[in-house]
Amino acid sequence: MEPAAPRRIELLIPIRTLIVVGVALAIGGAFMAIGDTFLIVFVGIFLALVFEYPVRFVMAKTKLGRGLAATVTVLGVALAVTALALLLLVPLVGSVRDYLQDLPQTVQDLRDQDGLSWLGDSGAAGNVQEGAEQVSVSVPDAISAVLGIAGGFFTLFIVAFTILFICLFLLTDIANLRRSLASVLMPDQEARWMPVWDRVTEAVSRWAIGVVIVATFAGTVQGTTAWLLGSSYAIALGVIAGLLDMIPNIGATIAGFILVPTLWAEEGLTAAIIMLVVVLVYQQVENNIVTPKVQGKAVQLSAFFIIVAVTLFGALLGVLGALTAVPLAATLQILIKELTKARREQVADIKAATAPT
């Protein structure tokens, strides 16, 4: 048989598709080129979303204009955070630094415990020991640099100043931006999409405020428990528990994997069991009582979508992405619900009409 003649395949790509792909690649390249600056802008815009709900509350209670209410709210919170940082930052972060520097010895003490002596020479234990040694060298040095601030003070000040004023100017100019958007929307579209902004900002604000309150409560409870059990790292463990608690669903569990072994290495098995019980009980109290009371229905996401959001946004933006994953996912959910609202209503009407009586 003669070989088949080669076939020519033509692939037609519309010029519009090429333009869209080119623009998307250009935007992606621009974001990569200005990664740090983009992150600063992202944080500023996110903080504006967080402060929008409190600013509206201040406006309603004081009858101040938006600009003055935004200035009072944002600068007031900034001054309060600065004062707390000056009072608490050095002792709290210093305690975490000391804990991390002693981490290799803590791991070694845990390996030497009677019940865990069989782990002493295992590969997994060796890997943990090696990781602890790396953390004890790298992280405390970074923390010391932050505490010392030294030559980086001016850069830190400029970054904080830029984020603060991006947030403040966006909050002040929200009304003008809303009017500009409304000017290009038909009346029915304006009535549909303008309330979406209020729903998004309310969800983000309530989530952020709730996270800070719950994380503070978590750190206080677990740090106090560690102190009562005799741990010399109680402050550090409380800070670590509070910070990890900000990561939804899995943060409290990760904190448990740090607190319990530390108490075991320091105070023995009984203290570790008590700490484990406290961690488990606290998780149930937080999930079923504290978080619903504090955050209410700020974000209505299933546990599955929360984990997916934390994973994806964490990979994209690092720790910041993991911390902001829930409000970002909630925002996407609000937009998707609005886009599919008519379709869902149509389907519901058809199902109601065809349902057996």
Side-chain angles (χ1 to χ4, degrees), residues 32-339:
M32 293 179 64
I34 59 171
D36 294 340
T37 304
F38 170 72
L39 193 60
I40 291 173
V41 174
F42 170 80
V43 173
I45 294 174
F46 181 79
L47 286 180
L49 294 177
V50 171
F51 277 106
E52 172 65 12
Y53 188 67
V55 167
R56 292 205 300 262
F57 178 81
V58 172
M59 291 172 62
K61 293 297 182 180
T62 63
K63 307 302 180 184
L64 294 175
R66 168 169 281 274
L68 186 56
T71 302
V72 169
T73 304
V74 174
L75 293 185
V77 171
L79 291 174
V81 170
T82 301
L84 287 174
L86 292 174
L87 291 172
L88 303 176
L89 181 64
V90 172
L92 291 180
V93 180
S95 178
V96 175
R97 179 194 58 198
D98 294 341
Y99 168 73
L100 294 175
Q101 286 178 334
D102 295 340
L103 190 58
Q105 185 59 48
T106 302
V107 173
Q108 185 60 54
D109 292 342
L110 187 62
R111 295 171 67 182
D112 293 339
Q113 292 287 332
D114 292 337
L116 295 177
S117 57
W118 58 276
L119 285 173
D121 297 325
S122 67
N127 291 336
V128 173
Q129 185 75 51
E130 182 180 352
E133 291 173 355
Q134 292 176 355
V135 169
S136 71
V137 172
S138 58
V139 178
D141 289 344
I143 293 175
S144 297
V146 172
L147 289 176
I149 294 180
F153 176 79
F154 183 72
T155 301
L156 181 65
F157 174 78
I158 292 297
V159 170
F161 183 86
T162 303
I163 290 173
L164 182 66
F165 278 88
I166 287 175
C167 170
L168 184 57
F169 289 152
L170 179 56
L171 284 170
T172 303
D173 211 34
I174 282 295
N176 293 331
L177 293 176
R178 288 170 64 99
R179 282 194 294 269
S180 298
L181 179 59
S183 67
V184 298
L185 294 175
M186 293 297 181
D188 59 331
Q189 293 297 311
E190 179 182 354
R192 176 186 180 185
W193 289 107
M194 287 296 101
V196 171
W197 168 259
D198 296 330
R199 287 159 54 194
V200 168
T201 53
E202 181 177 356
V204 173
S205 292
R206 292 181 64 179
W207 170 86
I209 295 170
V211 160
V212 172
I213 294 173
V214 173
T216 302
F217 184 63
T220 302
V221 169
Q222 296 179 57
T224 301
T225 302
W227 174 70
L228 292 174
L229 292 172
S231 174
S232 57
Y233 305 115
I235 296 177
L237 294 177
V239 172
I240 292 171
L243 292 175
L244 289 174
D245 199 73
M246 292 183 178
I247 302 176
N249 285 19
I250 61 175
T253 302
I254 297 174
F257 280 109
I258 296 175
L259 270 64
V260 174
T262 300
L263 265 296
W264 194 340
E266 275 198 289
E267 303 297 328
L269 181 58
T270 302
I273 293 175
I274 295 174
M275 192 73 230
L276 177 61
V277 172
V278 170
V279 169
L280 294 177
V281 171
Y282 174 78
Q283 287 184 14
Q284 297 304 312
V285 172
E286 178 182 303
N287 294 337
N288 297 293
I289 299 176
V290 178
T291 299
K293 289 291 184 182
V294 173
Q295 291 188 305
K297 297 180 179 179
V299 291
Q300 299 176 343
L301 292 172
S302 69
F304 169 76
F305 285 110
I306 288 176
I307 293 296
V308 171
V310 169
T311 302
L312 294 179
F313 286 111
L316 181 63
L317 297 174
V319 175
L320 180 63
L323 294 177
T324 58
V326 173
L328 292 175
T331 299
L332 292 176
Q333 178 179 257
I334 291 172
L335 295 175
I336 292 172
K337 281 186 175 181
E338 188 60 38
L339 289 171

